[in-house]
PDB file of all heavy atoms in Angstrom:
ATOM      1  N   TYR I   1      28.474  48.600 -78.028  1.00 87.00           N
ATOM      2  CA  TYR I   1      29.659  49.050 -77.297  1.00 87.00           C
ATOM      3  C   TYR I   1      30.975  48.645 -77.951  1.00 87.00           C
ATOM      4  O   TYR I   1      32.050  48.861 -77.393  1.00 87.00           O
ATOM      5  CB  TYR I   1      29.635  48.532 -75.848  1.00 87.00           C
ATOM      6  CG  TYR I   1      28.414  49.019 -75.063  1.00 87.00           C
ATOM      7  CD1 TYR I   1      27.376  48.184 -74.737  1.00 87.00           C
ATOM      8  CD2 TYR I   1      28.309  50.384 -74.717  1.00 87.00           C
ATOM      9  CE1 TYR I   1      26.277  48.663 -74.034  1.00 87.00           C
ATOM     10  CE2 TYR I   1      27.217  50.854 -74.003  1.00 87.00           C
ATOM     11  CZ  TYR I   1      26.186  49.978 -73.685  1.00 87.00           C
ATOM     12  OH  TYR I   1      25.086  50.440 -72.990  1.00 87.00           O
ATOM     13  N   ALA I   2      30.907  48.049 -79.127  1.00 91.00           N
ATOM     14  CA  ALA I   2      32.123  47.609 -79.792  1.00 91.00           C
ATOM     15  C   ALA I   2      32.917  48.803 -80.295  1.00 91.00           C
ATOM     16  O   ALA I   2      32.381  49.814 -80.716  1.00 91.00           O
ATOM     17  CB  ALA I   2      31.751  46.714 -80.991  1.00 91.00           C
ATOM     18  N   THR I   3      34.241  48.654 -80.200  1.00 93.00           N
ATOM     19  CA  THR I   3      35.144  49.716 -80.669  1.00 93.00           C
ATOM     20  C   THR I   3      35.936  49.213 -81.889  1.00 93.00           C
ATOM     21  O   THR I   3      36.188  48.022 -82.031  1.00 93.00           O
ATOM     22  CB  THR I   3      36.114  50.166 -79.584  1.00 93.00           C
ATOM     23  OG1 THR I   3      36.854  49.022 -79.114  1.00 93.00           O
ATOM     24  CG2 THR I   3      35.337  50.758 -78.410  1.00 93.00           C
ATOM     25  N   TRP I   4      36.324  50.156 -82.744  1.00 95.00           N
ATOM     26  CA  TRP I   4      37.082  49.867 -83.957  1.00 95.00           C
ATOM     27  C   TRP I   4      38.375  50.622 -83.944  1.00 95.00           C
ATOM     28  O   TRP I   4      38.462  51.704 -83.377  1.00 95.00           O
ATOM     29  CB  TRP I   4      36.265  50.232 -85.196  1.00 95.00           C
ATOM     30  CG  TRP I   4      35.025  49.437 -85.379  1.00 95.00           C
ATOM     31  CD1 TRP I   4      33.831  49.620 -84.755  1.00 95.00           C
ATOM     32  CD2 TRP I   4      34.828  48.311 -86.264  1.00 95.00           C
ATOM     33  NE1 TRP I   4      32.904  48.687 -85.179  1.00 95.00           N
ATOM     34  CE2 TRP I   4      33.494  47.875 -86.115  1.00 95.00           C
ATOM     35  CE3 TRP I   4      35.663  47.656 -87.175  1.00 95.00           C
ATOM     36  CZ2 TRP I   4      32.981  46.817 -86.829  1.00 95.00           C
ATOM     37  CZ3 TRP I   4      35.138  46.602 -87.898  1.00 95.00           C
ATOM     38  CH2 TRP I   4      33.806  46.198 -87.715  1.00 95.00           C
ATOM     39  N   ARG I   5      39.395  50.048 -84.545  1.00 94.00           N
ATOM     40  CA  ARG I   5      40.706  50.720 -84.667  1.00 94.00           C
ATOM     41  C   ARG I   5      41.408  50.215 -85.894  1.00 94.00           C
ATOM     42  O   ARG I   5      41.044  49.183 -86.466  1.00 94.00           O
ATOM     43  CB  ARG I   5      41.544  50.454 -83.421  1.00 94.00           C
ATOM     44  CG  ARG I   5      41.817  48.988 -83.164  1.00 94.00           C
ATOM     45  CD  ARG I   5      42.560  48.744 -81.867  1.00 94.00           C
ATOM     46  NE  ARG I   5      42.625  47.338 -81.528  1.00 94.00           N
ATOM     47  CZ  ARG I   5      43.521  46.494 -81.979  1.00 94.00           C
ATOM     48  NH1 ARG I   5      44.459  46.924 -82.832  1.00 94.00           N
ATOM     49  NH2 ARG I   5      43.516  45.222 -81.644  1.00 94.00           N
ATOM     50  N   GLN I   6      42.399  50.953 -86.308  1.00 93.00           N
ATOM     51  CA  GLN I   6      43.215  50.531 -87.438  1.00 93.00           C
ATOM     52  C   GLN I   6      44.429  49.745 -86.971  1.00 93.00           C
ATOM     53  O   GLN I   6      45.098  50.122 -86.003  1.00 93.00           O
ATOM     54  CB  GLN I   6      43.634  51.726 -88.272  1.00 93.00           C
ATOM     55  CG  GLN I   6      42.517  52.293 -89.149  1.00 93.00           C
ATOM     56  CD  GLN I   6      43.026  53.249 -90.179  1.00 93.00           C
ATOM     57  OE1 GLN I   6      43.606  54.264 -89.835  1.00 93.00           O
ATOM     58  NE2 GLN I   6      42.814  52.935 -91.445  1.00 93.00           N
ATOM     59  N   GLU I   7      44.687  48.656 -87.663  1.00 93.00           N
ATOM     60  CA  GLU I   7      45.837  47.816 -87.353  1.00 93.00           C
ATOM     61  C   GLU I   7      46.416  47.297 -88.667  1.00 93.00           C
ATOM     62  O   GLU I   7      45.715  46.656 -89.456  1.00 93.00           O
ATOM     63  CB  GLU I   7      45.430  46.638 -86.443  1.00 93.00           C
ATOM     64  CG  GLU I   7      46.575  45.746 -86.039  1.00 93.00           C
ATOM     65  CD  GLU I   7      46.142  44.630 -85.076  1.00 93.00           C
ATOM     66  OE1 GLU I   7      45.800  44.984 -83.925  1.00 93.00           O
ATOM     67  OE2 GLU I   7      46.135  43.461 -85.476  1.00 93.00           O
ATOM     68  N   ASP I   8      47.677  47.593 -88.904  1.00 91.00           N
ATOM     69  CA  ASP I   8      48.361  47.171 -90.142  1.00 91.00           C
ATOM     70  C   ASP I   8      47.573  47.624 -91.385  1.00 91.00           C
ATOM     71  O   ASP I   8      47.485  46.909 -92.365  1.00 91.00           O
ATOM     72  CB  ASP I   8      48.524  45.654 -90.174  1.00 91.00           C
ATOM     73  CG  ASP I   8      49.448  45.170 -89.065  1.00 91.00           C
ATOM     74  OD1 ASP I   8      50.346  45.923 -88.688  1.00 91.00           O
ATOM     75  OD2 ASP I   8      49.246  44.026 -88.597  1.00 91.00           O
ATOM     76  N   GLY I   9      47.027  48.853 -91.315  1.00 90.00           N
ATOM     77  CA  GLY I   9      46.377  49.434 -92.475  1.00 90.00           C
ATOM     78  C   GLY I   9      44.944  49.026 -92.708  1.00 90.00           C
ATOM     79  O   GLY I   9      44.369  49.415 -93.740  1.00 90.00           O
ATOM     80  N   ILE I  10      44.341  48.227 -91.830  1.00 93.00           N
ATOM     81  CA  ILE I  10      42.937  47.840 -92.003  1.00 93.00           C
ATOM     82  C   ILE I  10      42.166  48.094 -90.697  1.00 93.00           C
ATOM     83  O   ILE I  10      42.763  48.176 -89.626  1.00 93.00           O
ATOM     84  CB  ILE I  10      42.783  46.354 -92.413  1.00 93.00           C
ATOM     85  CG1 ILE I  10      43.306  45.442 -91.294  1.00 93.00           C
ATOM     86  CG2 ILE I  10      43.459  46.096 -93.743  1.00 93.00           C
ATOM     87  CD1 ILE I  10      43.000  43.967 -91.534  1.00 93.00           C
ATOM     88  N   TRP I  11      40.846  48.202 -90.829  1.00 95.00           N
ATOM     89  CA  TRP I  11      40.018  48.413 -89.648  1.00 95.00           C
ATOM     90  C   TRP I  11      39.648  47.057 -89.048  1.00 95.00           C
ATOM     91  O   TRP I  11      39.254  46.116 -89.728  1.00 95.00           O
ATOM     92  CB  TRP I  11      38.717  49.136 -90.034  1.00 95.00           C
ATOM     93  CG  TRP I  11      38.951  50.606 -90.238  1.00 95.00           C
ATOM     94  CD1 TRP I  11      39.215  51.240 -91.416  1.00 95.00           C
ATOM     95  CD2 TRP I  11      38.918  51.632 -89.229  1.00 95.00           C
ATOM     96  NE1 TRP I  11      39.377  52.602 -91.221  1.00 95.00           N
ATOM     97  CE2 TRP I  11      39.186  52.858 -89.888  1.00 95.00           C
ATOM     98  CE3 TRP I  11      38.697  51.622 -87.859  1.00 95.00           C
ATOM     99  CZ2 TRP I  11      39.228  54.071 -89.204  1.00 95.00           C
ATOM    100  CZ3 TRP I  11      38.726  52.825 -87.162  1.00 95.00           C
ATOM    101  CH2 TRP I  11      38.995  54.040 -87.825  1.00 95.00           C
ATOM    102  N   VAL I  12      39.874  46.947 -87.717  1.00 95.00           N
ATOM    103  CA  VAL I  12      39.515  45.731 -86.979  1.00 95.00           C
ATOM    104  C   VAL I  12      38.659  46.135 -85.799  1.00 95.00           C
ATOM    105  O   VAL I  12      38.613  47.293 -85.379  1.00 95.00           O
ATOM    106  CB  VAL I  12      40.789  44.977 -86.499  1.00 95.00           C
ATOM    107  CG1 VAL I  12      41.600  44.510 -87.690  1.00 95.00           C
ATOM    108  CG2 VAL I  12      41.624  45.864 -85.593  1.00 95.00           C
ATOM    109  N   CYS I  13      37.946  45.144 -85.270  1.00 94.00           N
ATOM    110  CA  CYS I  13      36.979  45.390 -84.185  1.00 94.00           C
ATOM    111  C   CYS I  13      37.448  44.682 -82.919  1.00 94.00           C
ATOM    112  O   CYS I  13      37.883  43.521 -82.961  1.00 94.00           O
ATOM    113  CB  CYS I  13      35.609  44.899 -84.569  1.00 94.00           C
ATOM    114  SG  CYS I  13      34.333  45.227 -83.343  1.00 94.00           S
ATOM    115  N   ASP I  14      37.302  45.358 -81.787  1.00 92.00           N
ATOM    116  CA  ASP I  14      37.700  44.771 -80.509  1.00 92.00           C
ATOM    117  C   ASP I  14      36.515  44.122 -79.800  1.00 92.00           C
ATOM    118  O   ASP I  14      36.623  43.715 -78.652  1.00 92.00           O
ATOM    119  CB  ASP I  14      38.311  45.848 -79.606  1.00 92.00           C
ATOM    120  CG  ASP I  14      39.680  46.259 -80.089  1.00 92.00           C
ATOM    121  OD1 ASP I  14      40.427  45.405 -80.576  1.00 92.00           O
ATOM    122  OD2 ASP I  14      40.033  47.447 -79.979  1.00 92.00           O
ATOM    123  N   GLY I  15      35.362  44.015 -80.480  1.00 88.00           N
ATOM    124  CA  GLY I  15      34.225  43.309 -79.891  1.00 88.00           C
ATOM    125  C   GLY I  15      34.534  41.864 -79.627  1.00 88.00           C
ATOM    126  O   GLY I  15      35.181  41.182 -80.439  1.00 88.00           O
ATOM    127  N   ILE I  16      34.110  41.355 -78.479  1.00 88.00           N
ATOM    128  CA  ILE I  16      34.511  40.012 -78.065  1.00 88.00           C
ATOM    129  C   ILE I  16      33.866  38.919 -78.914  1.00 88.00           C
ATOM    130  O   ILE I  16      34.282  37.773 -78.856  1.00 88.00           O
ATOM    131  CB  ILE I  16      34.182  39.759 -76.588  1.00 88.00           C
ATOM    132  CG1 ILE I  16      32.686  39.930 -76.335  1.00 88.00           C
ATOM    133  CG2 ILE I  16      34.989  40.717 -75.686  1.00 88.00           C
ATOM    134  CD1 ILE I  16      32.262  39.538 -74.909  1.00 88.00           C
ATOM    135  N   ASP I  17      32.850  39.262 -79.707  1.00 90.00           N
ATOM    136  CA  ASP I  17      32.201  38.276 -80.553  1.00 90.00           C
ATOM    137  C   ASP I  17      32.301  38.624 -82.041  1.00 90.00           C
ATOM    138  O   ASP I  17      31.599  38.047 -82.860  1.00 90.00           O
ATOM    139  CB  ASP I  17      30.710  38.162 -80.197  1.00 90.00           C
ATOM    140  CG  ASP I  17      30.488  37.695 -78.762  1.00 90.00           C
ATOM    141  OD1 ASP I  17      31.083  36.668 -78.388  1.00 90.00           O
ATOM    142  OD2 ASP I  17      29.753  38.358 -78.025  1.00 90.00           O
ATOM    143  N   SER I  18      33.186  39.549 -82.389  1.00 94.00           N
ATOM    144  CA  SER I  18      33.196  40.039 -83.761  1.00 94.00           C
ATOM    145  C   SER I  18      34.082  39.181 -84.655  1.00 94.00           C
ATOM    146  O   SER I  18      35.216  38.849 -84.303  1.00 94.00           O
ATOM    147  CB  SER I  18      33.730  41.491 -83.808  1.00 94.00           C
ATOM    148  OG  SER I  18      33.811  41.938 -85.137  1.00 94.00           O
ATOM    149  N   SER I  19      33.553  38.841 -85.834  1.00 94.00           N
ATOM    150  CA  SER I  19      34.336  38.120 -86.815  1.00 94.00           C
ATOM    151  C   SER I  19      35.500  38.952 -87.344  1.00 94.00           C
ATOM    152  O   SER I  19      36.428  38.425 -87.939  1.00 94.00           O
ATOM    153  CB  SER I  19      33.447  37.680 -87.996  1.00 94.00           C
ATOM    154  OG  SER I  19      32.903  38.811 -88.649  1.00 94.00           O
ATOM    155  N   ARG I  20      35.435  40.259 -87.099  1.00 95.00           N
ATOM    156  CA  ARG I  20      36.495  41.124 -87.577  1.00 95.00           C
ATOM    157  C   ARG I  20      37.480  41.505 -86.473  1.00 95.00           C
ATOM    158  O   ARG I  20      38.207  42.487 -86.554  1.00 95.00           O
ATOM    159  CB  ARG I  20      35.882  42.363 -88.229  1.00 95.00           C
ATOM    160  CG  ARG I  20      35.078  41.960 -89.485  1.00 95.00           C
ATOM    161  CD  ARG I  20      34.464  43.145 -90.196  1.00 95.00           C
ATOM    162  NE  ARG I  20      35.479  44.012 -90.724  1.00 95.00           N
ATOM    163  CZ  ARG I  20      35.224  45.186 -91.283  1.00 95.00           C
ATOM    164  NH1 ARG I  20      33.957  45.596 -91.386  1.00 95.00           N
ATOM    165  NH2 ARG I  20      36.189  45.946 -91.768  1.00 95.00           N
ATOM    166  N   SER I  21      37.509  40.646 -85.463  1.00 95.00           N
ATOM    167  CA  SER I  21      38.501  40.789 -84.424  1.00 95.00           C
ATOM    168  C   SER I  21      39.854  40.308 -84.939  1.00 95.00           C
ATOM    169  O   SER I  21      39.909  39.296 -85.647  1.00 95.00           O
ATOM    170  CB  SER I  21      38.089  39.988 -83.201  1.00 95.00           C
ATOM    171  OG  SER I  21      39.186  39.852 -82.291  1.00 95.00           O
ATOM    172  N   PRO I  22      40.959  40.948 -84.548  1.00 93.00           N
ATOM    173  CA  PRO I  22      42.273  40.458 -84.988  1.00 93.00           C
ATOM    174  C   PRO I  22      42.725  39.225 -84.195  1.00 93.00           C
ATOM    175  O   PRO I  22      43.723  38.609 -84.561  1.00 93.00           O
ATOM    176  CB  PRO I  22      43.188  41.661 -84.702  1.00 93.00           C
ATOM    177  CG  PRO I  22      42.507  42.397 -83.585  1.00 93.00           C
ATOM    178  CD  PRO I  22      41.040  42.232 -83.815  1.00 93.00           C
ATOM    179  N   ASP I  23      41.968  38.861 -83.160  1.00 91.00           N
ATOM    180  CA  ASP I  23      42.298  37.666 -82.399  1.00 91.00           C
ATOM    181  C   ASP I  23      41.883  36.437 -83.206  1.00 91.00           C
ATOM    182  O   ASP I  23      40.698  36.270 -83.452  1.00 91.00           O
ATOM    183  CB  ASP I  23      41.545  37.693 -81.061  1.00 91.00           C
ATOM    184  CG  ASP I  23      41.945  36.544 -80.142  1.00 91.00           C
ATOM    185  OD1 ASP I  23      42.431  35.504 -80.638  1.00 91.00           O
ATOM    186  OD2 ASP I  23      41.758  36.670 -78.907  1.00 91.00           O
ATOM    187  N   PRO I  24      42.817  35.586 -83.627  1.00 84.00           N
ATOM    188  CA  PRO I  24      42.457  34.458 -84.487  1.00 84.00           C
ATOM    189  C   PRO I  24      41.527  33.439 -83.840  1.00 84.00           C
ATOM    190  O   PRO I  24      40.904  32.622 -84.527  1.00 84.00           O
ATOM    191  CB  PRO I  24      43.826  33.846 -84.843  1.00 84.00           C
ATOM    192  CG  PRO I  24      44.714  34.258 -83.732  1.00 84.00           C
ATOM    193  CD  PRO I  24      44.258  35.622 -83.330  1.00 84.00           C
ATOM    194  N   ARG I  25      41.457  33.466 -82.501  1.00 84.00           N
ATOM    195  CA  ARG I  25      40.541  32.554 -81.812  1.00 84.00           C
ATOM    196  C   ARG I  25      39.089  33.002 -81.932  1.00 84.00           C
ATOM    197  O   ARG I  25      38.168  32.221 -81.667  1.00 84.00           O
ATOM    198  CB  ARG I  25      40.925  32.451 -80.331  1.00 84.00           C
ATOM    199  CG  ARG I  25      42.298  31.846 -80.089  1.00 84.00           C
ATOM    200  CD  ARG I  25      42.730  32.052 -78.658  1.00 84.00           C
ATOM    201  NE  ARG I  25      42.845  33.485 -78.318  1.00 84.00           N
ATOM    202  CZ  ARG I  25      43.162  33.933 -77.117  1.00 84.00           C
ATOM    203  NH1 ARG I  25      43.408  33.088 -76.124  1.00 84.00           N
ATOM    204  NH2 ARG I  25      43.255  35.231 -76.897  1.00 84.00           N
ATOM    205  N   ILE I  26      38.909  34.255 -82.340  1.00 87.00           N
ATOM    206  CA  ILE I  26      37.537  34.820 -82.399  1.00 87.00           C
ATOM    207  C   ILE I  26      37.183  35.189 -83.842  1.00 87.00           C
ATOM    208  O   ILE I  26      36.099  34.856 -84.316  1.00 87.00           O
ATOM    209  CB  ILE I  26      37.455  36.082 -81.520  1.00 87.00           C
ATOM    210  CG1 ILE I  26      37.760  35.747 -80.070  1.00 87.00           C
ATOM    211  CG2 ILE I  26      36.074  36.734 -81.673  1.00 87.00           C
ATOM    212  CD1 ILE I  26      37.889  36.960 -79.176  1.00 87.00           C
ATOM    213  N   GLY I  27      38.067  35.909 -84.496  1.00 90.00           N
ATOM    214  CA  GLY I  27      37.751  36.471 -85.785  1.00 90.00           C
ATOM    215  C   GLY I  27      38.171  35.639 -86.980  1.00 90.00           C
ATOM    216  O   GLY I  27      38.566  34.476 -86.837  1.00 90.00           O
ATOM    217  N   LEU I  28      38.032  36.242 -88.151  1.00 92.00           N
ATOM    218  CA  LEU I  28      38.431  35.616 -89.389  1.00 92.00           C
ATOM    219  C   LEU I  28      39.951  35.379 -89.402  1.00 92.00           C
ATOM    220  O   LEU I  28      40.703  36.000 -88.631  1.00 92.00           O
ATOM    221  CB  LEU I  28      38.061  36.517 -90.562  1.00 92.00           C
ATOM    222  CG  LEU I  28      36.546  36.802 -90.756  1.00 92.00           C
ATOM    223  CD1 LEU I  28      36.391  37.963 -91.751  1.00 92.00           C
ATOM    224  CD2 LEU I  28      35.844  35.563 -91.263  1.00 92.00           C
ATOM    225  N   LEU I  29      40.381  34.525 -90.286  1.00 90.00           N
ATOM    226  CA  LEU I  29      41.814  34.365 -90.506  1.00 90.00           C
ATOM    227  C   LEU I  29      42.384  35.693 -91.001  1.00 90.00           C
ATOM    228  O   LEU I  29      41.678  36.516 -91.595  1.00 90.00           O
ATOM    229  CB  LEU I  29      42.081  33.274 -91.545  1.00 90.00           C
ATOM    230  CG  LEU I  29      41.576  31.865 -91.183  1.00 90.00           C
ATOM    231  CD1 LEU I  29      41.799  30.943 -92.341  1.00 90.00           C
ATOM    232  CD2 LEU I  29      42.266  31.358 -89.909  1.00 90.00           C
ATOM    233  N   ALA I  30      43.650  35.930 -90.727  1.00 91.00           N
ATOM    234  CA  ALA I  30      44.273  37.228 -91.032  1.00 91.00           C
ATOM    235  C   ALA I  30      44.074  37.607 -92.489  1.00 91.00           C
ATOM    236  O   ALA I  30      43.799  38.772 -92.805  1.00 91.00           O
ATOM    237  CB  ALA I  30      45.744  37.175 -90.673  1.00 91.00           C
ATOM    238  N   SER I  31      44.220  36.629 -93.408  1.00 91.00           N
ATOM    239  CA  SER I  31      44.068  36.957 -94.831  1.00 91.00           C
ATOM    240  C   SER I  31      42.635  37.349 -95.167  1.00 91.00           C
ATOM    241  O   SER I  31      42.405  38.257 -95.948  1.00 91.00           O
ATOM    242  CB  SER I  31      44.475  35.748 -95.679  1.00 91.00           C
ATOM    243  OG  SER I  31      43.719  34.603 -95.325  1.00 91.00           O
ATOM    244  N   ASP I  32      41.656  36.663 -94.542  1.00 93.00           N
ATOM    245  CA  ASP I  32      40.266  37.021 -94.779  1.00 93.00           C
ATOM    246  C   ASP I  32      39.888  38.349 -94.113  1.00 93.00           C
ATOM    247  O   ASP I  32      39.066  39.118 -94.642  1.00 93.00           O
ATOM    248  CB  ASP I  32      39.341  35.911 -94.244  1.00 93.00           C
ATOM    249  CG  ASP I  32      39.400  34.652 -95.101  1.00 93.00           C
ATOM    250  OD1 ASP I  32      39.798  34.769 -96.281  1.00 93.00           O
ATOM    251  OD2 ASP I  32      39.027  33.580 -94.598  1.00 93.00           O
ATOM    252  N   LEU I  33      40.485  38.607 -92.979  1.00 94.00           N
ATOM    253  CA  LEU I  33      40.235  39.868 -92.277  1.00 94.00           C
ATOM    254  C   LEU I  33      40.641  41.059 -93.163  1.00 94.00           C
ATOM    255  O   LEU I  33      39.937  42.045 -93.284  1.00 94.00           O
ATOM    256  CB  LEU I  33      41.049  39.895 -90.974  1.00 94.00           C
ATOM    257  CG  LEU I  33      40.646  40.869 -89.901  1.00 94.00           C
ATOM    258  CD1 LEU I  33      39.241  40.556 -89.386  1.00 94.00           C
ATOM    259  CD2 LEU I  33      41.635  40.810 -88.742  1.00 94.00           C
ATOM    260  N   ARG I  34      41.774  40.915 -93.827  1.00 94.00           N
ATOM    261  CA  ARG I  34      42.237  41.957 -94.735  1.00 94.00           C
ATOM    262  C   ARG I  34      41.367  42.044 -95.978  1.00 94.00           C
ATOM    263  O   ARG I  34      41.025  43.143 -96.432  1.00 94.00           O
ATOM    264  CB  ARG I  34      43.702  41.704 -95.122  1.00 94.00           C
ATOM    265  CG  ARG I  34      44.299  42.778 -96.039  1.00 94.00           C
ATOM    266  CD  ARG I  34      45.816  42.636 -96.129  1.00 94.00           C
ATOM    267  NE  ARG I  34      46.420  42.937 -94.834  1.00 94.00           N
ATOM    268  CZ  ARG I  34      46.664  44.157 -94.350  1.00 94.00           C
ATOM    269  NH1 ARG I  34      46.344  45.233 -95.092  1.00 94.00           N
ATOM    270  NH2 ARG I  34      47.233  44.296 -93.186  1.00 94.00           N
ATOM    271  N   ARG I  35      40.974  40.899 -96.539  1.00 94.00           N
ATOM    272  CA  ARG I  35      40.102  40.928 -97.701  1.00 94.00           C
ATOM    273  C   ARG I  35      38.786  41.600 -97.398  1.00 94.00           C
ATOM    274  O   ARG I  35      38.301  42.450 -98.165  1.00 94.00           O
ATOM    275  CB  ARG I  35      39.826  39.497 -98.183  1.00 94.00           C
ATOM    276  CG  ARG I  35      40.918  38.891 -99.028  1.00 94.00           C
ATOM    277  CD  ARG I  35      40.379  37.748 -99.859  1.00 94.00           C
ATOM    278  NE  ARG I  35      39.699  36.737 -99.067  1.00 94.00           N
ATOM    279  CZ  ARG I  35      38.795  35.876 -99.551  1.00 94.00           C
ATOM    280  NH1 ARG I  35      38.444  35.943-100.819  1.00 94.00           N
ATOM    281  NH2 ARG I  35      38.274  34.983 -98.773  1.00 94.00           N
ATOM    282  N   ALA I  36      38.191  41.272 -96.236  1.00 95.00           N
ATOM    283  CA  ALA I  36      36.916  41.884 -95.860  1.00 95.00           C
ATOM    284  C   ALA I  36      37.051  43.381 -95.691  1.00 95.00           C
ATOM    285  O   ALA I  36      36.219  44.158 -96.189  1.00 95.00           O
ATOM    286  CB  ALA I  36      36.416  41.243 -94.561  1.00 95.00           C
TER     287      ALA I  36
END
C-alpha cells in the first residue's frame, strides 16, 4: 500500500517504514536519499 511521489526532483516513498521516506526520523539522510 506504499505510495511514491516526486519531491525536489527525486522519487520518495510515503510508506511509514520506508528507508526512502523524506522524513529524517524514518528514512535515509537527505543526501543519501538523493544518491539512492
Side-chain angles (χ1 to χ4, degrees):
Y1 298 109
T3 57
W4 295 80
R5 59 185 171 83
Q6 284 193 299
E7 182 177 291
D8 295 330
I10 63 171
W11 284 93
V12 296
C13 182
D14 289 323
I16 60 173
D17 298 308
S18 178
S19 62
R20 296 181 65 186
S21 166
D23 186 336
R25 296 168 298 179
I26 300 171
L28 297 167
L29 299 175
S31 57
D32 287 340
L33 199 63
R34 181 167 294 279
R35 279 202 305 158

